[in-house]
């Protein structure tokens, strides 16, 4: 104890402790008489040595590691030398870092004397001084440093003629104690490239951080990484994927051959809605399309987006996921778009679902009515009962009365026919006579508008296969959450979990099919079922068995039987089974609905010779369009068709490497989930497979060209008053087609589709020649404009796009609002015919600019920016129904006028008397 106390105090004050220990030694010599003198002196001498060593170490610590690094070995490369030095340093309890590195330069006559040599200086990671924080020290959470000006230095030198590398010790001493273990050291615990890749893969597979760390420890026993570094690596991976999240999701969908569509928000690069389905799910949908269940839920992703789940039911009564869709909001427009994509997966009209079960979501119900008008829309009984019970508990008191009211409600919902429903409803009104507000709520909210969608008297009239709730969707979502594990996942993690869940679903479904074909239940091993065994699912046989038990009480009387199973399931009811038993006839296979006889993924009906999918109408339309195009247009259309017909021969750029961009101190990262259109993965708005039905991109969208040139200096080519409204300026190739290139790019067709734009405008002038003759004053002017659109081998200024003439034609042909900007004149063009969409959000607005009086560029305008007044001739020659185009933009045009108070008005009045 005396030695330990002395050592602790020596660290605080070496000289004071030395004096105190000497006094204690003298006291020991005076008071201890039982020990022998020699033993006491040995003990005192040992204690004195320990104190002196502690004092010397506290005043001047020095650890020499020169011997460990003295070597005559010649290393074949710089990396080999570095690896050796770092391994030796780790064995000795410290970390080596590169302090300085020089690379030789080729000698010349003028630089031969000052020629640099190739060398590298290595030092202890605790070398150097702490430089202090870049900002206010009070803002830093941790105030500490490992730096202690350690003098340890090694010099690695490259030999002449690339003979290798050698290591020399410049200073082999440390001024600090060496570590016994490097566990927790920030540098020693760094992950190697291979370990980072492993952590990324395990993060994608939703492994917990502790399991990732244990895996790394098993992989490398010398690994000293800490759990904090694992968390940092996971966060770095997620951050790196965030900006490319949507691209990576689309890449996953492509890799697994999913069928998907998406559409973007107007005037932005943000994905609005995205829909996808598994290829095997399409096969299951073709076979089992009698009942679909749809429900919208909010996911547990980091983005609070509604997820629309669509599930179906197999012949073995197992649930399969038909499709998933992340939507921008729970509006009728979003739901309608999703259901239209679902409808496109159903090939034959007779395969339209008979029943679709949803919640009481008015937007979803309206969308179902629009897309599937022939389907019966049932409402989830469980959700209805929850709403009614919650209302009852808030109005009806006491508790005994609540139970009585809810029992009466259940009786009404389970009414077997309409007359019974009327009687039970009267009883319900009597029970609720003391609570008129509750009775009124039930009638107005549920019974009057929706009784046909959930009351048994009406639901038993459709073939719902026993599905009157959305429980199957909720069960699927529960399994999905169990696979996710984490409460805040990105889109890709969510898709991974969905893909895993679908794989498990399909495995279970295949197993159930195999069991129905090969396994016979003992209770059904009778002559009655002999024709059904192996041809009908076990679930159907189970339902028939339940009806068979009712034969004794029902007999042949159909009034007692009610034939509910025949109507709702398509299976023989009790009275029908009684007739088969009376005739000693087994149940015929024809008595079973086709739904229960399908025991595979493929819909055999699609293989019939009578049914055949054909592309002939589309091919005929393409051929006709091809013949109408000129040489340049034909080349472009042929190239696009070649990519579709021969995808393996199309050139594909490799995945771009992510480059870390240095940001200014204090700048914030962009945490949006914008879809960044990379050079290898563009979304072509004209592509029928991956594009949605939304309108073409507007001027606020970035144009997806592989080579873009930002030309911000061209900002001076536009009036200074409108500079705040310009998001960016995007150049196009400078040739005689630049104007049409800018229009094609703004329409989402791609800059190289300029020839198609020319052809479209030629057809516009030909088809509506009478209107344009009045607009431009003569047939000769129309012919001149049409001639300027044809492409010749030799281009001239006559082939350039002219504004305002072509502005009217472009706006009318593509039904867009075209804004033309320049220093001389700014104007807005509206279509000359046709009504605008009712919602302004569905308007398409594109902008182009004329710079240097000879070149057109794309201009991206900010949302709700000021717009120049309408072109002069538009109001004189537009149709009556198209005049409402201008009304939607009156305020924005008045704002533009206010920016130029002293400019003479060369435009037509926005509001005419």
């Amino acid at each position: 104890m005396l030695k330990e106390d002395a050592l602790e105090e020596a660290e605080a004050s070496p000289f004071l402790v030395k004096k105190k220990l000497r006094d204690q030694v003298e006291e020991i010599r005076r008071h201890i008489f039982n020990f022998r003198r020699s033993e006491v002196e040995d003990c005192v001498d040992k204690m004195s040595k320990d104190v002196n060593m502690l004092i010397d170490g506290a005043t001047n610590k020095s650890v020499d590691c020169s011997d460990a690094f003295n070597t005559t070995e010649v290393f074949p490369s710089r990396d080999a030398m570095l690896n050796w030095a770092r391994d030796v340093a780790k064995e000795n309890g410290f970390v080596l870092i590169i302090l300085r590195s020089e690379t030789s330069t080729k000698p010349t006559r003028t630089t031969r004397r000052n020629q640099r040599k190739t060398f590298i200086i290595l030092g202890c990671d605790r070398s150097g001084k702490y430089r202090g924080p870049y900002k206010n020290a009070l803002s830093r959470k941790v105030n500490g440093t490992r730096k202690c000006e350690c003098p340890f230095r090694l010099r690695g030198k490259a030999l002449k003629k690339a003979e290798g590398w050698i290591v020399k010790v410049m200073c082999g001493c440390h001024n600090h104690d060496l570590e016994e273990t490097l566990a927790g050291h920030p540098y020693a615990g760094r992950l190697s490239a291979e370990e980072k890749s492993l952590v990324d893969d395990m993060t994608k597979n939703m492994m917990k951080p502790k399991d990732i760390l244990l895996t790394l420890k098993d992989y490398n026993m010398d690994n000293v990484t800490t759990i904090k570094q694992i968390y940092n690596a996971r966060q770095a991976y997620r951050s790196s994927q965030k900006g490319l999240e949507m691209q990576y999701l689309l890449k996953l969908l492509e890799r697994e051959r999913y069928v998907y569509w998406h559409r973007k928000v107007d005037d932005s690069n943000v994905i609005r809605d995205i829909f996808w389905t598994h290829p095997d799910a399409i096969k299951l949908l073709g076979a089992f399309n009698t009942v679909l269940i749809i429900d919208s839920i909010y996911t547990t992703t980091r983005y609070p987006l509604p997820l629309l789940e669509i599930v179906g039911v197999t012949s073995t009564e197992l649930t399969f996921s038909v499709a998933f869709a992340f939507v921008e909001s729970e509006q009728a427009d979003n739901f309608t778009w999703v259901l239209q994509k679902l409808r496109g997966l159903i090939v034959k009209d007779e395969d339209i679902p008979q029943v679709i079960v949803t919640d009481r979501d008015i937007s979803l119900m309206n969308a179902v009515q629009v897309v599937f008008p022939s389907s019966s829309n049932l409402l989830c009984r469980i959700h209805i009962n929850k709403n009614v019970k919650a209302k009852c508990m808030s109005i009806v008191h006491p508790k005994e009365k609540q139970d009585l009211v809810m029992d009466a409600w259940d009786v009404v919902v389970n009414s077997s026919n309409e007359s019974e429903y009327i009687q039970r409803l009267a009883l319900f009104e009597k029970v609720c006579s003391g609570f008129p507000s509750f009775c009124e709520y039930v009638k107005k909210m549920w019974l009057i508008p929706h009784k046909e969608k959930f009351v048994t008297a009406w639901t038993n009239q459709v073939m719902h296969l026993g599905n009157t709730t959305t429980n199957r969707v909720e069960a699927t979502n529960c399994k999905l959450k169990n696979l996710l594990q984490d409460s805040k996942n990105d889109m890709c993690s969510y898709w991974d979990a969905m893909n895993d869940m679908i794989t498990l679903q399909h495995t279970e479904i295949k197993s159930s099919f195999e069991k129905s074909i090969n396994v016979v239940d003992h209770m059904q091993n009778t002559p009655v079922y002999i024709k059904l065994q192996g041809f009908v699912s076990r679930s159907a046989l189970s339902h028939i068995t339940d009806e068979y038990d009712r034969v004794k009480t029902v007999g042949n009387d159909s009034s007692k039987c009610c034939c509910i199973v025949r109507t709702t399931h398509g299976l023989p009811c009790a009275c029908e089974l009684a007739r088969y038993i009376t005739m000693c006839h087994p149940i015929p296979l024809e008595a079973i609905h086709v739904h229960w006889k399908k025991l595979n993924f493929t819909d055999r009906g699609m293989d019939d010779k009578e049914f055949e999918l054909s592309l002939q109408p589309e091919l005929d339309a393409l051929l006709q369009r091809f013949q109408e195009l000129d040489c340049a247009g034909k080349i472009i259309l042929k190239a696009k068709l070649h990519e579709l017909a021969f995808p393996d021969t199309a050139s594909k750029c490799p995945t771009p490497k992510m480059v870390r961009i240095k940001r200014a101190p204090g700048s914030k990262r962009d945490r949006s989930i914008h879809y960044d259109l990379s050079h290898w993965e563009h979304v072509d708005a004209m592509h029928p497979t991956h594009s949605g039905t939304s309108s073409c991109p507007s001027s606020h969208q970035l144009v997806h060209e592989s080579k873009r040139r930002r030309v911000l200096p061209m900002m001076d080519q536009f009036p200074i008053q409108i500079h705040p409204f310009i998001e960016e300026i995007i150049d196009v190739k400078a040739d005689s087609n630049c104007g049409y290139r800018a229009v094609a790019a703004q329409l989402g067709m791609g800059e190289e589709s300029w020839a198609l734009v020319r052809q479209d405008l030629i057809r516009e002038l030909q088809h509506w020649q009478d209107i344009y003759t009045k607009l431009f004053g003569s047939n000769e002017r129309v012919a001149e404009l049409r001639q300027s659109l044809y492409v010749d081998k030799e281009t001239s200024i006559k082939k350039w796009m002219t504004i305002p003439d072509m502005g009217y034609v472009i706006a009318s042909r593509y039904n867009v609002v075209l804004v033309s900007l320049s220093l001389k004149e700014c104007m807005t063009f509206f279509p000359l015919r046709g009504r605008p969409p009712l919602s302004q959000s569905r308007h398409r607005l594109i902008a182009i600019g004329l710079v240097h009086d000879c070149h057109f560029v794309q201009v991206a305008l900010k949302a709700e920016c000021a717009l120049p007044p309408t072109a002069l001739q538009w109001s004189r020659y537009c149709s009556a129904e198209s005049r409402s185009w201008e009304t939607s933009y009156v305020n924005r045009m008045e704002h533009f006028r206010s920016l130029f108070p002293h400019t003479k008005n060369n435009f037509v009045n926005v509001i005419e008397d």
Side-chain angles (χ1 to χ4, degrees):
M1 293 296 294
L2 183 60
K3 176 182 176 183
E4 294 177 359
D5 293 341
L7 291 174
E8 291 177 358
E9 293 181 1
E11 294 179 357
S13 179
F15 300 100
L16 182 60
V17 172
K18 184 175 181 179
K19 183 177 181 300
K20 187 173 181 180
L21 287 176
R22 287 172 179 171
D23 294 339
Q24 290 179 358
V25 171
E26 292 297 331
E27 186 177 357
I28 291 173
R29 287 177 176 175
R30 288 196 304 268
H31 293 88
I32 300 177
F33 300 101
N34 295 329
F35 294 113
R36 287 181 297 178
R37 184 180 182 86
S38 60
E39 293 178 350
V40 174
E41 290 179 352
D42 292 339
C43 181
V44 172
D45 291 338
K46 185 176 180 181
M47 291 171 57
S48 300
K49 291 180 180 179
D50 291 339
V51 172
N52 292 332
M53 185 181 297
L54 181 61
I55 294 171
D56 294 336
T59 57
N60 187 20
K61 294 181 179 180
S62 179
V63 180
D64 193 352
C65 296
S66 301
D67 294 339
F69 293 91
N70 285 329
T71 178
T72 57
E73 182 178 356
V74 177
F75 300 95
S77 65
R78 179 178 183 269
D79 290 339
M81 182 270 296
L82 284 175
N83 292 335
W84 175 83
R86 285 170 175 168
D87 291 340
V88 174
K90 287 183 179 180
E91 292 176 359
N92 286 270
F94 68 99
V95 173
L96 273 181
I97 61 174
I98 298 175
L99 300 180
R100 183 182 175 187
S101 179
E102 290 286 352
T103 303
S104 64
T105 57
K106 294 182 179 180
T108 62
R109 292 181 179 179
T110 58
T111 63
R112 187 175 300 276
R113 294 183 179 179
N114 299 324
Q115 179 185 354
R116 294 181 179 179
K117 297 181 179 180
T118 301
F119 69 92
I120 184 172
I121 304 297
L122 304 176
C124 176
D125 69 309
R126 301 187 65 176
S127 61
K129 293 183 179 180
Y130 176 60
R131 298 181 180 180
Y134 293 101
K135 296 182 179 180
N136 186 3
L138 296 177
S139 64
R140 294 177 62 85
K141 295 182 180 179
V142 180
N143 290 317
T145 179
R146 302 177 63 87
K147 301 293 184 180
C148 63
E149 301 183 58
C150 179
F152 182 88
R153 296 288 187 278
L154 296 179
R155 178 185 177 92
K157 179 183 177 182
L159 300 177
K160 295 181 180 180
K161 298 181 181 180
E163 294 177 355
W165 285 72
I166 59 174
V167 176
K168 298 296 182 181
V169 179
M170 299 175 65
C171 177
C173 296
H174 297 268
N175 63 351
H176 57 87
D177 291 331
L178 301 181
E179 304 288 343
E180 294 182 3
T181 175
L182 292 176
H185 193 286
Y187 192 92
R190 286 185 180 181
L191 298 173
S192 64
E194 186 177 358
E195 290 173 333
K196 285 182 179 179
S197 177
L198 187 60
V199 171
D200 293 347
D201 291 339
M202 289 187 287
T203 300
K204 286 190 292 187
N205 292 326
M206 296 170 291
M207 288 186 64
K208 295 180 179 180
K210 64 177 183 180
D211 296 329
I212 295 177
L213 181 60
L214 291 175
T215 302
L216 292 180
K217 298 290 185 182
D218 294 339
Y219 180 77
N220 181 10
M221 298 300 295
D222 297 328
N223 185 283
V224 291
T225 304
T226 62
I227 192 68
K228 181 179 180 180
Q229 290 170 311
I230 297 297
Y231 276 106
N232 292 341
R234 282 161 49 94
Q235 182 60 34
Y237 167 73
R238 289 172 175 170
S239 298
S240 66
Q241 293 295 325
K242 191 170 184 180
L244 302 173
E245 183 173 329
M246 194 56 65
Q247 295 98 314
Y248 186 63
L249 174 60
L250 297 184
K251 181 180 177 181
L252 291 174
L253 293 171
E254 288 279 4
R255 186 188 69 188
E256 299 298 329
R257 299 184 180 277
Y258 272 64
V259 177
Y260 69 93
W261 291 272
H262 67 267
R263 61 176 180 170
K264 295 182 286 187
V265 177
D266 295 338
D267 298 338
S268 74
N269 293 317
V270 181
I271 293 294
R272 181 181 182 185
D273 306 309
I274 183 168
F275 171 99
W276 67 70
T277 180
H278 193 279
D280 285 341
I282 299 177
K283 297 179 183 179
L284 288 172
L285 177 63
F288 307 105
N289 43 52
T290 305
V291 177
L292 294 181
I293 306 169
I294 306 175
D295 195 9
S296 178
I297 60 173
Y298 275 88
T299 66
T300 56
T301 61
R302 66 181 66 169
Y303 319 112
L305 297 174
L307 172 66
L308 196 66
E309 292 189 56
I310 306 170
V311 304
V313 185
T314 68
S315 59
T316 53
E317 294 190 323
L318 293 179
T319 304
F320 69 94
S321 297
V322 176
F324 298 91
F326 280 105
V327 293
E328 178 187 32
S329 61
E330 296 178 303
Q331 302 296 324
D333 175 64
N334 304 91
F335 290 144
T336 301
W337 180 82
V338 172
L339 294 183
Q340 286 174 345
K341 299 308 173 188
L342 175 66
R343 175 64 181 87
L345 300 177
I346 302 174
V347 180
K348 297 184 289 186
D349 293 337
E350 55 267 28
D351 288 341
I352 297 295
Q354 298 183 31
V355 174
I356 297 178
V357 185
T358 66
D359 288 338
R360 185 190 168 275
D361 187 329
I362 301 301
S363 299
L364 181 56
M365 293 168 63
N366 291 339
V368 170
Q369 182 61 32
V370 171
V371 182
F372 298 101
S374 62
S375 302
S376 299
N377 184 193
L378 303 186
L379 299 183
C380 178
R381 277 192 176 186
I382 291 180
H383 286 85
I384 294 175
N385 288 336
K386 286 182 178 180
N387 283 277
V388 172
K389 186 174 182 179
K391 194 71 172 181
C392 177
M393 294 177 65
S394 64
I395 296 177
V396 180
H397 298 286
K399 178 67 168 57
E400 293 76 11
K401 194 67 174 178
Q402 292 177 7
D403 296 338
L404 183 62
V405 169
M406 290 305 300
D407 290 340
W409 165 256
D410 291 337
V411 170
V412 172
V413 173
N414 292 302
S415 301
S416 59
N417 53 61
E418 293 187 32
S419 60
E420 188 176 89
Y421 167 77
I422 295 174
Q423 296 174 3
R424 294 182 176 182
L425 179 60
L427 178 62
F428 175 76
E429 292 175 346
K430 185 176 180 180
V431 173
C432 299
S433 58
F435 311 98
S437 60
F438 175 73
C439 187
E440 183 180 5
Y441 160 79
V442 170
K443 286 184 177 181
K444 290 186 177 182
M445 182 64 70
W446 301 108
L447 294 179
I448 295 176
H450 305 303
K451 64 179 181 293
E452 295 84 0
K453 301 180 185 298
F454 69 94
V455 176
T456 303
W458 286 272
T459 58
N460 280 350
Q461 298 177 13
V462 297
M463 188 173 174
H464 53 65
L465 304 179
N467 297 278
T468 57
T469 69
T470 58
N471 285 357
R472 289 183 180 271
V473 178
E474 295 179 359
T476 301
N477 186 56
C478 183
K479 293 179 181 178
L480 193 59
K481 290 182 177 179
N482 291 335
L483 290 172
L484 283 170
Q485 297 180 357
D486 194 357
S487 61
K488 294 294 182 181
N489 290 276
D490 55 17
M491 289 282 196
C492 299
S493 299
Y494 219 89
W495 178 87
D496 285 334
M498 289 177 180
N499 191 49
D500 293 341
M501 182 185 68
I502 291 173
T503 301
L504 296 176
Q505 285 179 354
H506 293 176
T507 301
E508 186 178 8
I509 290 171
K510 290 177 181 178
S511 176
S512 68
F513 289 161
E514 191 275 337
K515 191 173 183 180
S516 293
I517 295 173
N518 299 310
V519 178
V520 179
D521 196 309
H522 294 297
M523 296 182 61
Q524 299 157 359
N525 193 14
T526 62
V528 178
Y529 303 98
I530 191 64
K531 292 187 176 182
L532 305 182
Q533 294 172 357
F535 299 96
V536 176
S537 71
R538 290 166 58 88
S539 299
L541 295 178
S542 178
H543 286 296
I544 295 174
T545 302
D546 293 339
E547 286 295 301
Y548 190 86
D549 295 338
R550 296 179 61 231
V551 172
K552 296 179 181 179
T553 57
V554 173
N556 295 329
D557 191 352
S558 59
S559 61
K560 292 182 180 180
C561 177
C562 299
C563 303
I564 295 175
V565 173
R566 168 55 69 186
T567 305
T568 60
H569 289 71
L571 297 172
C573 57
C575 64
E576 190 176 345
L577 292 175
R579 291 193 291 270
Y580 294 137
I581 295 173
T582 302
M583 295 185 296
C584 297
H585 193 281
I587 303 172
L589 189 61
E590 294 76 15
I592 309 299
H593 189 273
V594 66
H595 171 85
W596 305 101
K597 294 186 286 187
K598 296 176 180 178
L599 298 176
N600 51 44
F601 272 44
T602 305
D603 182 12
R604 293 177 182 175
M606 295 181 65
D607 298 332
D608 295 341
K609 295 182 179 179
E610 298 178 358
F611 176 78
E612 183 179 357
L613 287 173
S614 175
L615 286 174
Q616 196 59 44
E618 289 79 6
L619 293 176
D620 293 340
L622 282 173
L623 182 59
Q624 181 179 357
R625 186 178 183 185
F626 182 80
Q627 293 173 347
E628 294 175 354
L629 296 174
D630 60 1
C631 182
K634 290 180 178 179
I635 292 174
I636 295 174
L637 183 58
K638 182 179 179 180
K640 291 188 175 184
L641 292 176
H642 187 273
E643 292 180 3
L644 292 175
F646 308 102
D648 295 336
T649 61
S651 60
K652 295 181 180 179
C653 298
T655 305
K657 296 182 179 179
M658 290 176 290
V659 181
R660 186 177 298 276
I661 301 174
K662 295 183 179 179
R663 297 180 175 86
S667 64
K668 296 182 178 179
R669 291 183 179 179
D670 182 12
R671 297 185 178 275
S672 63
I673 52 171
H674 286 204
Y675 179 38
D676 182 24
L677 298 171
S678 62
H679 73 277
W680 67 284
E681 195 177 49
H682 302 309
V683 178
D684 192 346
M686 305 299 291
H687 198 290
T689 302
H690 299 160
S691 62
T693 58
S694 63
S695 59
C696 292
S698 62
S699 64
H700 197 61
Q701 287 177 295
L702 296 179
V703 182
H704 45 278
E705 294 298 327
S706 61
K707 294 183 181 179
R708 300 184 194 169
R709 297 168 293 281
R710 290 176 174 254
V711 284
L712 293 180
M714 290 190 187
M715 185 71 80
D716 60 358
Q717 295 297 307
F718 303 103
I720 191 172
Q721 292 89 338
I722 67 174
H723 287 185
F725 306 125
I726 297 178
E727 184 78 20
E728 65 177 329
I729 303 169
I730 306 171
D731 198 5
V732 297
K733 184 178 179 180
D735 57 13
S736 59
N737 304 305
C738 61
Y740 303 104
R741 288 179 180 274
V743 172
Q746 288 290 73
L747 290 173
M749 301 164 61
E751 180 182 325
E752 297 302 327
S753 297
W754 56 269
L756 297 179
V757 173
R758 284 181 176 268
Q759 293 296 323
D760 288 342
L761 299 182
I762 290 174
R763 286 192 290 271
E764 173 71 14
L765 290 172
Q766 291 174 341
H767 192 271
W768 303 96
Q769 184 171 352
D770 294 341
I771 295 178
Y772 290 111
T773 298
K774 297 178 181 179
L775 176 64
F776 299 131
S778 64
N779 287 324
E780 290 75 12
R781 178 56 182 162
V782 175
E784 183 182 345
L785 289 174
R786 189 166 63 247
Q787 188 64 32
S788 70
L789 292 168
Y790 288 103
V791 179
D792 297 333
K793 294 182 179 180
E794 296 181 1
T795 59
S796 65
I797 194 172
K798 295 181 179 181
K799 300 295 183 180
W800 292 9
M801 187 172 75
T802 57
I803 295 292
D805 294 341
M806 282 301 172
Y808 299 104
V809 185
I810 293 170
S812 301
R813 173 63 183 178
Y814 296 107
N815 200 38
V816 298
V817 179
L818 174 65
V819 177
S820 175
L821 303 174
S822 68
L823 281 175
K824 294 182 178 180
E825 195 173 32
C826 299
M827 61 188 73
T828 301
F829 298 91
F830 297 108
L832 292 170
R833 60 187 183 276
R835 295 181 181 275
L838 295 178
S839 174
Q840 190 173 350
S841 63
R842 299 193 63 82
H843 292 192
R844 292 186 296 173
L845 189 149
I846 65 175
I848 59 175
L850 180 64
V851 297
H852 305 297
D853 293 330
C854 62
H855 181 62
F856 283 97
V857 295
Q858 305 173 62
V859 180
L861 298 176
K862 296 182 179 179
E864 300 300 324
C865 68
L867 294 182
T870 310
L872 182 62
Q873 300 294 328
W874 180 83
S875 62
R876 298 179 183 176
Y877 298 101
C878 67
S879 63
E881 62 181 6
S882 64
R883 289 186 177 274
S884 54
W885 274 100
E886 193 178 45
T887 307
S888 304
Y889 299 92
V890 169
N891 294 333
R892 296 169 68 174
M893 291 183 180
E894 289 294 344
H895 184 195
F896 189 93
R897 289 177 181 276
S898 66
L899 300 175
F900 301 87
H902 305 295
T903 302
K904 183 179 178 180
N905 182 14
N906 293 324
F907 307 101
V908 67
N909 290 332
V910 177
I911 303 177
E912 297 181 352
D913 295 333

